[in-house]
Amino acid sequence: MIQYIFGGILAFFLGLFIFNGSSSGKKNNNKVSMETGNECINSSVDNGEFKSESKGETDVIIVGAGVAGSALAYTLGKDGRRVHVIERDLTEPDRIVGELLQPGGYLKLIELGLEDCVEEIDAQRVFGYALFKDGQNTRVSYPLEEFDSDVSGRSFHNGRFIQRMREKAATLPNIRLEQGTVTSLLEENGTIKGVLYKTKTGEELKAYAPLTVVCDGCFSNLRRSLCIPKVDVPSCFVGLILENCKLPHPNHGHVVLADPSPILLYQISSYEVRCLVDVPGQKVPSLSNGEMANYLKTWVAPQIPSELRDSFIAAIEKGNIRTMPNRSMPAAPHPTPGALLMGDAFNMRHPLTGGGMTVALSDIVLLRNLLKPLRDLNDASSLCRYLESFYTLRKPVASTINTLAGALYKVFCASPDQARTEMRQACFDYLSLGGVFSSGPVALLSGLNPRPLSLVCHFFAVAIYGVGRLLLPYPSPKRLWIGARLISSASGIIFPIIKAEGVRQMFFPATVPAYYRAPPVK
C-alpha cells in the first residue's frame, strides 16, 4: 500500500503542474431536420451523381467523400464556395474503424454545424473508458462537467455517419457530389490545376479548380506528390460484432490489456458491440483455413471479460470476421501550389484511442477559418504560401493526439521486458487513482485538452509512479536497475514519436515563420 502512496505523491506534483481546466462548451440548438439511411441517399443520386450541382466554375475540388471530405464539402459550401466532390463509391461504406467520435471531435462537429449527423443513426453516447487487466478493472470518465449535457463521445456505424454527412452536403446547391475515380492530379509548371478522373460509366474527364483538396483515405494513391509518406503498420485489427449483449460498464469504451496487445469493445448500436482484437505485425492468422477462428477461440476468448465471452464465441462461429491494417503516418507535407492534403491521406495514428476523426474535424475548422477572409483562391503561389500556416497551426492538437495514440499502444502491449511490464502496470494503476491522474490523460485522449506539454508531463508522471512502486517498501539493486530501465523505456517510446511529429512545430509553433502568414490580398 505504501508504494502506491509514495508513487502517488511523486505523480501528484507533476499532475499539479499540468492540470488544466477545460473550456466550457456551448450547445448548438439549431438542429437541421434530415432523413437518414440509404433511401435518402439513393433518392438524391442519379446515375452515380447527386442532383444538386453548381453552375459555372468550381472553387474547390475535394477528392474523397469520407468523414473528412464530406465535412469539408459542407463547411466550404456553407461559406459560399462552389465545391465539386469526387468519390469512388457513394454507397454506404462498411468499415470496422472510424466508429468512435471523441467528445473533442463532437465539439468540432458542433462548430461545423454537423452535430445532427450523429442523430437518427442509433449512435450511442460514450462517457469514458473501462480498463481491464488481470481480472481487475477500473473506469475513467471524460471531464465533461463544464460542458453542456449533450457533449459526450459518440459511437456508431461508420457508414451511417458518413451517409448522413454526404446527404447534408448534398442539400447545398453549390455542392456537386459525383461518383468517380480520380486517377491523377493535373499539374502545370509545378501547380495543381485540377484532377483527371473516370466517371461511373468509365468516361475519362478533367475537372479544374484553383484548389484541390485530397482526402481519399488511408489507401490514398495521390499523396506521394503532396507529402513524404512514411507509413508504418504496427498491427492489424480483427473485427467482430457481438450481438445482444451488455457491456460491463454501459456507455463506456472497454480496453482489455491483453496478451499480446489490447482488445477494444464499444457499443455501435442499441444491440451491437464492436470488438477489435489487435494483432501485432502486418500478418494475421488465415481466415480461409480456420486458423483465425481457432486463434480467437483458444487465445483471445479467455482474455475477454466473462460477461461478453459467450457472445464473443458466438460472433466467431457466425463467421463475419473482418481485418484491417492499422497504419501510422506522421504529417510530412510537401507544400504544393493548388493542392492540400487532409484526413487519413495526410496524417494517421494508431486507432487505439479513436482520435482520427477528432484530428480531421479540427483540421477542417482550422482550414475554414484560414480560407474565410480570402476573396478568391486563384493566386496559387500566394495561397500555397499562406496555407503553410495550416500545417503549423494544426500541429499542437494533431501531434498531441497522434503521440498519445502511438505511446499508449506501445505501453498497453505485453512485453517480456520487465521494465515495460512495470510501465504497463503503472499506467493501469495511475489511471485507477482517479482525480487529476485519470481526468488529465483522458482529457488529452478525448481531444478536450490536447496540449503537448500536458501529455509529456502525464506520460513521465506514469513512469515516475512506476519507479515509486518499485523502490518501496525498500530499494534493492535489482529494483533500482529496473526503475532506471523503466525511465529509459518510457523515453524510448515517446521521444521518437515526438521527433517524427516535429518538436518545434509541436511545442513552439510560434517560432515558425508560417505561423504569422497573412492571407493573400487580391
Side-chain angles (χ1 to χ4, degrees):
M1 183 66 183
I2 190 170
Q3 66 263 35
Y4 292 100
I5 297 172
F6 180 74
I9 291 170
L10 289 172
F12 177 71
F13 286 111
L14 276 175
L16 284 178
F17 177 68
I18 47 92
F19 180 62
N20 294 294
S22 300
S23 58
S24 63
K26 299 297 180 183
K27 182 177 180 180
N28 187 332
N29 292 316
N30 296 324
K31 306 288 185 181
V32 180
S33 176
M34 295 181 62
E35 298 176 12
T36 186
N38 281 333
E39 294 80 6
C40 180
I41 293 294
N42 291 335
S43 67
S44 300
V45 178
D46 182 13
N47 196 27
E49 187 170 319
F50 275 78
K51 292 178 180 178
S52 54
E53 297 183 17
S54 61
K55 305 290 184 181
E57 295 181 0
T58 300
D59 296 314
V60 181
I61 293 171
I62 297 176
V63 182
V67 171
S70 300
L72 181 62
Y74 176 76
T75 302
L76 296 182
K78 197 169 64 168
D79 282 351
R81 308 284 184 187
R82 294 161 296 182
V83 183
H84 183 187
V85 186
I86 305 172
E87 162 60 35
R88 182 182 59 83
D89 187 356
L90 284 173
T91 59
E92 184 175 305
D94 183 14
R95 303 179 66 203
I96 64 171
V97 292
E99 297 173 317
L100 177 62
L101 180 66
Q102 296 288 1
Y106 181 73
L107 288 173
K108 296 300 179 184
L109 214 60
I110 293 173
E111 279 193 64
L112 297 171
L114 289 164
E115 68 273 22
D116 55 338
C117 291
V118 297
E119 297 176 0
E120 301 180 22
I121 59 172
D122 201 14
Q124 306 296 300
R125 291 168 69 90
V126 181
F127 297 109
Y129 283 88
L131 302 179
F132 292 76
K133 185 180 186 296
D134 300 331
Q136 296 181 309
N137 70 84
T138 188
R139 190 170 66 181
V140 293
S141 299
Y142 296 133
L144 300 172
E145 297 81 9
E146 296 184 17
F147 295 91
D148 289 345
S149 59
D150 67 327
V151 176
S152 67
R154 297 291 196 280
S155 54
F156 39 67
H157 280 270
N158 171 269
R160 296 177 187 174
F161 179 55
I162 288 175
Q163 290 300 82
R164 285 281 281 165
M165 289 203 292
R166 288 175 178 174
E167 133 194 355
K168 185 154 186 178
T171 63
L172 299 178
N174 49 325
I175 293 180
R176 177 187 177 192
L177 186 49
E178 181 180 7
Q179 184 163 305
T181 302
V182 174
T183 54
S184 64
L185 300 174
L186 298 175
E187 184 179 343
E188 255 181 52
N189 301 319
T191 299
I192 303 301
K193 297 292 187 180
V195 298
L196 179 68
Y197 71 102
K198 287 186 179 179
T199 66
K200 186 180 179 180
T201 58
E203 184 183 4
E204 195 167 73
L205 298 175
K206 293 179 180 179
Y208 296 93
L211 180 63
T212 298
V213 182
V214 175
C215 41
D216 54 345
C218 61
F219 300 104
S220 174
N221 294 318
L222 304 175
R223 67 161 65 101
R224 289 192 175 275
S225 58
L226 302 175
C227 76
I228 305 167
K230 295 179 181 178
V231 181
D232 181 35
V233 183
S235 66
C236 295
F237 267 156
V238 178
L240 306 98
I241 289 183
L242 282 54
E243 297 180 339
N244 301 313
C245 62
K246 292 185 178 180
L247 292 171
H249 299 275
N251 299 108
H252 283 69
H254 290 49
V255 183
V256 182
L257 304 190
D259 183 6
S261 51
I263 301 166
L264 302 182
L265 298 120
Y266 49 89
Q267 198 139 2
I268 57 173
S269 75
S270 359
Y271 62 93
E272 295 168 305
V273 170
R274 168 66 71 194
C275 177
L276 295 172
V277 179
D278 186 86
V279 179
Q282 299 184 23
K283 293 184 178 180
V284 297
S286 172
L287 288 167
S288 57
N289 62 11
E291 187 181 348
M292 174 64 78
N294 183 61
Y295 170 78
L296 294 174
K297 284 183 179 180
T298 59
W299 186 257
V300 178
Q303 302 184 75
I304 295 288
S306 57
E307 302 95 321
L308 303 170
R309 202 166 292 149
D310 289 343
S311 297
F312 180 77
I313 293 172
I316 298 169
E317 291 174 347
K318 190 173 181 180
N320 188 20
I321 302 172
R322 310 263 306 278
T323 63
M324 174 77 180
N326 294 325
R327 295 166 174 250
S328 176
M329 186 181 74
H334 176 62
T336 305
L340 194 72
L341 268 174
M342 292 196 76
D344 284 349
F346 174 46
N347 183 204
M348 293 178 280
R349 77 290 309 148
H350 194 285
L352 171 69
T353 59
M357 288 189 287
T358 300
V359 172
L361 294 169
S362 177
D363 283 352
I364 290 167
V365 170
L366 175 58
L367 182 62
R368 176 200 65 183
N369 294 341
L370 287 172
L371 292 179
K372 259 188 176 179
L374 303 186
R375 290 199 287 268
D376 67 69
L377 308 174
N378 287 295
D379 188 340
S381 59
S382 295
L383 180 63
C384 177
R385 187 171 181 276
Y386 170 57
L387 288 182
E388 283 184 38
S389 62
F390 166 77
Y391 298 120
T392 301
L393 293 168
R394 71 178 294 275
K395 269 293 182 180
V397 172
S399 295
T400 300
I401 293 172
N402 296 345
T403 303
L404 181 62
L408 266 188
Y409 175 71
K410 291 185 178 181
V411 170
F412 281 175
C413 285
S415 172
D417 183 351
Q418 191 172 354
R420 289 283 294 273
T421 300
E422 289 291 340
M423 183 72 175
R424 190 188 198 207
Q425 184 64 49
C427 188
F428 180 86
D429 291 340
Y430 182 88
L431 292 170
S432 301
L433 292 171
V436 67
F437 307 112
S438 64
S439 64
V442 174
L444 291 164
L445 181 149
S446 62
L448 295 172
N449 177 32
R451 298 182 182 177
L453 183 59
S454 182
L455 165 63
V456 172
C457 289
H458 272 295
F459 188 80
F460 281 103
V462 171
I464 293 170
Y465 179 79
V467 173
R469 293 174 65 255
L470 283 166
L471 298 186
L472 292 176
Y474 59 88
S476 67
K478 181 181 179 181
R479 288 170 177 264
L480 282 168
W481 174 241
I482 294 172
R485 287 200 296 112
L486 191 157
I487 296 294
S488 175
S489 176
S491 301
I493 287 172
I494 197 167
F495 287 143
I497 302 173
I498 290 174
K499 182 181 178 182
E501 289 290 334
V503 176
R504 186 181 178 191
Q505 293 90 339
M506 186 171 173
F507 292 96
F508 312 105
T511 68
V512 180
Y515 185 86
Y516 303 98
R517 296 272 161 85
V521 178
K522 285 186 69 69

